[in-house]
Amino acid sequence: MAESSRTPSGRREAESAARLAAAMQKQMDAWSLSPAEREIGLLMLKGFVHKQIATLRGTTEATVRHRARAIYAKAGVHGRAGFCAFFLESLLASPVAGKGQASALTGAAALPRR
């Protein structure tokens, strides 16, 4: 186990990351993304380009582009920037967690659907 996860702040960061991942998965459920679309979407959010994703998944770049377009359509966004911005906006628009407040990072419900 990493040293930082043993500290109170390390545990909070790990818990926040887990809650964020759960919120992202819940949103992907709401969009009815297939397992392949989920994987591609997460890789795009991590900054991988289509060619890299194709190599990682053992498929063609054209297939990744096709699935990316399906993701954008299901999410109701225009392209990768809109897809990434959907999740980033949810984080930035959320209040900083304090008494009685929650955010996407601190365990709020799923990200809002546009």
Side-chain angles (χ1 to χ4, degrees), residues 7-112:
T7 66
S9 64
R11 281 191 297 273
R12 282 192 300 271
E13 288 174 14
E15 290 167 359
S16 292
R19 284 191 293 271
L20 176 59
M24 291 172 71
Q25 288 299 331
K26 191 169 183 179
Q27 183 59 55
M28 290 184 183
D29 286 344
W31 288 333
S32 300
L33 297 187
S34 71
E37 290 166 344
R38 287 169 188 264
E39 182 181 15
I40 289 169
L42 289 172
L43 289 169
M44 288 189 307
L45 288 169
K46 290 181 177 185
F48 289 93
V49 297
H50 292 160
K51 186 174 184 175
Q52 292 170 317
I53 295 169
T55 300
L56 288 168
R57 299 191 77 248
T59 189
T60 67
E61 191 174 347
T63 297
V64 172
R65 277 195 309 274
H66 175 77
R67 292 200 185 264
R69 283 192 298 271
I71 292 166
Y72 307 148
K74 290 178 180 183
V77 298
H78 300 288
R80 179 189 294 249
F83 178 69
C84 294
F86 178 90
F87 292 101
L88 183 59
E89 285 175 9
S90 297
L91 293 175
L92 295 176
S94 298
V96 175
K99 276 195 171 180
Q101 295 179 325
S103 72
L105 287 174
T106 60
L111 301 168

